Amino acid sequence: MLAITAASATVLAGCGQAGQSDGGGGGGDGGTTELTMWTHSAGNPAELETYNRIIDDFNGSQDEYEVVMESFPQGAYNDAIVAGAAAGDLPCLLDMDGPIVPNWAWAGYIQPLDIDPAITDSLLPTAVGRYQDEIYSAGYWDAALSVFARQSVLDANGIRIPTVDEPWTLEEFDAALVTLQGAGYATPLDIGAEDTGEWWSYAYSPMLQSAGGDLIDRDSMLTADGALNGPEAVEFFEWFQGLFDRGLTSNAGTVGNEEFNNDEVALSYTGVWNAMDSLDAVGDDLLILPPPDLGEGPKIGGASWQWGIAADCDAADGAREYLEFSFKPEYIAAFADGQVVIPATAEAEELSEMFGEGDPLQPFVELSQRFALQRPPTPAYPIISSVFERAGKDIMNGADVGSTLDQAVQEIDTNIESNDGYGF
């Protein structure tokens, strides 16, 4: 495999740093087998609290295996995984950002998950990681994007409130932005364009897909030609560029949702993780709306952090036993409420204090179920994401749309060809 295997694993901004381990698993005192477990979640006390609860419960439920967790900050997690794989020193259990799963499966870092299919069948489709139609990972939650608005602002300006069944069309959305700008919002829409890394693919490739384009031809997974530079993609990016040219959005804000909470922008394209702060700031006036339909129906990004088993884990049966134990509804609900993420099962949704029927964040569940689309499940994805971000930023800053997209396609296709199609 080419050097891109190691390099690509550092691209996704959602991933972080692991530490040292004594290997995938080994016999401990008294015949107990130790299962080492790495997570990127240091600095996230709510997440770690639930992991510690699961581990304590699992370790106390049997005496054959003992899970030992090491948690590390996000800074260079993927680099550490690449280094651990090269040294044959990966833990048995490791978490990974959903879009990276095919790359790690292709690179030989992880093995097929092979847990009870009743578990993976019960999860949101975006909480299951696949490569070549085989399951390699599963997660307890997902996230979702939406458009935040104040009902009072839309009502005062005669703007229709969209629903999941009748979202704004492109024309309605564009007209609403112009109306809101005329009403005094100098920059009416915050789309988070000041952010970097994986945010660009996570946030804006669903817009492209809603417009009829894509990051790659998903039928073959061998080329981006026609998907990323076809007429639908060109038309979308001309509109996207125009949002900045007309001052309807900008990249001059702060990462997060501060401008919306302070009523400096009228609409915010943002995620579930910002919902509680906005509820505190806006109260019952807050609307959690679907993204606009740009031609092919609304789309939002799917797949968050998931768990897999290292390819060279010598206690894989124990790792599977732990994972099956860990997918209890009460644990998934604890993750959801502690981190403000969407629970991956219907049972956990009802146990949740935030995401059940009638709860304040329940709209995100419907948005995820109706509109979430996984980023392309190909080992080429890290390169695709990096190229897409660079092209999108160039277009935002005024570059010619057609030639910029053609160059992006050439870079992606060259990488795919140099890696023999990544198994497709």
Side-chain angles (χ1 to χ4, degrees), residues 161-175:
I161 296 174
T163 66
V164 292
D165 293 320
E166 292 188 62
W168 282 322
T169 63
L170 171 61
E171 293 75 17
E172 280 185 294
F173 184 55
D174 198 271

Side-chain angles (χ1 to χ4, degrees), residues 3-4 9 34 59 61 97 112 165 168 175 192 205 220 233 241 243 290 296 313 323 332-333 374 381 397 409 421:
I4 190 61
E34 182 178 284
N59 288 346
S61 71
D97 202 10
D165 293 320
W168 282 322
S205 68
S220 70
Q241 187 179 67
L243 293 177
E296 298 294 328
C313 171
L323 287 176
I332 298 175
Q374 285 183 310
Y381 179 76
N397 290 320
V409 167

Side-chain angles (χ1 to χ4, degrees), residues 145 187 189-200 203-204 207 240 244 249-257 259 265 267-271 273-274 389 393 396:
L145 293 171
T187 306
L189 173 65
D190 178 8
I191 61 170
E194 65 280 349
D195 210 338
T196 60
E198 182 59 15
W199 168 255
W200 274 73
Y204 309 137
M207 291 183 177
F240 182 82
F244 295 91
T249 193
S250 79
N251 64 339
T254 56
V255 175
N257 211 31
E259 282 80 11
V265 299
L267 303 176
S268 178
Y269 179 57
T270 190
W273 54 89
N274 284 324
E389 179 189 6
K393 287 182 174 179
M396 175 184 70

Side-chain angles (χ1 to χ4, degrees), residues 47-59:
E47 186 175 353
L48 290 177
E49 180 181 359
T50 302
Y51 282 133
N52 283 321
R53 173 185 167 191
I54 297 170
I55 291 167
D56 288 346
D57 289 351
F58 175 76
N59 288 346

